[in-house]
Amino acid sequence: MAAGGWCHGFHCATLDPVRITSWWTRDPRFGVGVATGPAGLVVLDVDAHAAHAPERDRLLPGIPIPDQVDLDGLASGYDTLALLAAYRGQPNPAHDVSTLRVRTPSGGLHIWYEAPPTLGRCRSSTGSSPRTALAWQVDVRAHGGYIVAPATTTPKGTYAPVAGARLPAPLPDWIAAELRRTDHIARKAVPVPLAPRHTAPLRRRTAAGTLRPLLDQVEACASTPEGASFSEKLNRAAWTAGGLVSAGHIGEQVARDLLFQAARLARPKQERRNGTIIESALRAGAVRPFHPKDSHE
């Protein structure tokens, strides 16, 4: 798709009215999707799909449900969300008339909340995930995800607002706490000081000439979702950057920013893993200061 297209879905989200008009002029049947992370939203996507409930320890990740708790009839995200609220002694978000709620064509429910600035970067998840999940059949739409806007009509039906509030309310504190508990909130990376730098004059052009090809290889992985040796290429670039920083050829923060930018372009949905690879390889590379061949010319 040419520049300015929608080929990358919500990654192409825009507020530019000219571009939006051009999209809808091309195909007026388009629906509306909202990139939840950039919009500062956290949306609970409650599913009502018919499915066999998993074991008790998978219903509310991290919360043991005693055998004496009767789970007969539990069949959807409505049930697990109500169970989570009951465990915390809080009102059921599905009944929260203070915030925008949208009924989906499949019978599910989108519960929209405004994320507080103090929340941090909240990742999206699916309720069936064995790693990061809030509750079975309750998806979280935040960074790395999108939500269908109310009143949008698709071949399956209309996303209809529920009577009540028409705007997202602030995210309740208890839900924010649950998102932190279930590892939805990305922990801030604490930069680790690299080895002492040499005091020789910086050779920025030389450093860029050495590092740029490696960064290009990382960014090229964007066109290949799997099998591109992304981790290996990012590790090599970060290791080289660590050596250049240690030798005084490039600033530490500049190197870190370049690495995160390249990694984010190629694999935007794994920020935490990208950070782990980058920080580890930077430290390893710093042990061996690296001087490009032409650094003394």
Side-chain angles (χ1 to χ4, degrees):
M1 181 67 68
W6 54 86
C7 53
H8 287 81
F10 67 88
H11 294 295
C12 292
T14 181
L15 296 176
D16 181 359
V18 175
R19 181 166 295 178
I20 292 173
T21 299
S22 72
W23 288 350
W24 263 269
T25 300
R26 183 165 182 171
D27 192 337
R29 297 172 300 173
F30 281 160
V32 182
V34 178
T36 41
L41 297 170
V42 172
V43 180
L44 304 184
D45 181 357
V46 183
D47 291 333
H49 305 311
H52 180 69
E55 298 298 324
R56 287 173 177 258
D57 61 351
R58 292 282 305 281
L59 294 174
L60 300 177
I63 299 178
I65 302 176
D67 291 339
Q68 56 265 35
V69 176
D70 186 4
L71 297 179
D72 287 345
L74 186 146
S76 73
Y78 286 102
D79 302 318
T80 52
L81 185 59
L83 185 61
L84 177 62
Y87 259 84
R88 298 309 187 205
Q90 299 291 338
N92 185 349
H95 303 154
D96 188 353
V97 297
S98 72
T99 197
L100 173 63
R101 293 170 297 153
V102 179
R103 192 76 62 186
T104 72
S106 63
L109 186 69
H110 294 167
I111 309 169
W112 293 52
Y113 287 113
E114 180 182 354
T118 56
L119 183 66
R121 185 181 177 88
C122 179
R123 59 172 56 89
S124 296
S125 71
T126 61
S128 59
S129 171
R131 299 179 60 185
T132 302
L134 182 65
W136 178 65
Q137 286 218 31
V138 177
D139 301 340
V140 175
R141 301 299 180 211
H143 283 277
Y146 75 97
I147 201 73
V148 177
T152 296
T153 297
T154 70
K156 295 182 179 180
T158 298
Y159 288 75
V162 178
R166 284 294 182 267
L167 294 174
L171 183 71
D173 291 342
W174 78 270
I175 296 180
E178 289 301 305
L179 292 172
R180 292 189 180 93
R181 180 186 64 81
T182 52
D183 204 26
H184 281 81
I185 310 303
R187 297 182 177 88
K188 292 184 179 180
V190 179
V192 178
L194 302 180
R197 305 177 191 175
H198 293 259
T199 58
L202 297 182
R203 301 292 194 272
R204 296 185 183 278
R205 183 175 301 178
T206 298
T210 301
L211 188 57
R212 187 67 255 176
L214 299 178
L215 294 172
D216 289 343
Q217 292 179 22
V218 173
E219 293 178 357
C221 293
S223 61
T224 308
E226 297 180 2
S229 300
F230 167 77
S231 297
E232 178 183 341
K233 292 174 181 176
L234 179 59
N235 183 78
R236 185 185 305 120
W239 187 89
T240 302
L244 290 169
V245 170
S246 184
H249 295 290
I250 188 173
E252 178 181 336
Q253 191 56 50
V254 171
R256 185 174 277 108
D257 289 346
L258 289 171
L259 289 162
F260 271 98
Q261 181 180 0
R264 192 174 294 119
L265 177 65
R267 296 292 185 269
K269 296 183 179 181
Q270 56 177 55
E271 187 83 0
R272 187 178 179 185
R273 175 171 171 75
N274 293 345
T276 299
I277 295 173
I278 289 170
E279 297 298 340
S280 176
L282 275 173
R283 290 195 301 269
V287 176
R288 300 183 63 182
F290 177 58
H291 295 278
K293 294 180 179 179
D294 59 345
S295 63
H296 299 290
E297 294 181 1

